[in-house]
Amino acid sequence: MESLILLEAAVAGMSLAKIGACVGAGIAAIGAGIGIGKIGSSAMDAIARQPEETNNIRTNMIVIAALIEGVALFAIIVCLLALFV
């Protein structure tokens, strides 16, 4: 199935580099979503165990989620540059 998709893309004029850039951008977005979901899950568990530390846990969660979003955005931009350059 995958080889058929690659063959059809090659026939349509897309190079393997462009296909790789699209796949890379998709993987970066999915990875960031999974990572932020795990952060949220762990933060809720920590808040349930120690309710008095809610503000500290929430602040750390937001900072870490922002860092992950930054890395994901950087990865998508690199993939888009590979796609169009």
Side-chain angles (χ1 to χ4, degrees):
M1 181 69 178
E2 293 173 10
S3 61
L4 180 62
I5 293 171
L6 291 176
L7 181 62
E8 288 175 0
V11 170
M14 292 182 69
S15 67
L16 288 178
K18 290 183 178 181
I19 294 171
C22 294
V23 170
I27 290 172
I30 290 170
I34 291 171
I36 291 173
K38 285 190 172 204
I39 289 170
S41 172
S42 298
M44 293 301 108
D45 288 341
I47 289 171
R49 289 186 183 130
Q50 295 180 343
E52 65 276 359
E53 293 295 323
T54 300
N55 290 331
N56 291 335
I57 294 169
R58 186 180 305 132
T59 303
N60 289 335
M61 179 186 69
I62 291 171
V63 168
I64 293 171
L67 291 173
I68 289 176
E69 282 291 329
V71 170
L73 180 64
F74 179 72
I76 290 173
I77 287 174
V78 168
C79 291
L80 289 175
L81 284 173
L83 182 64
F84 293 116
V85 174

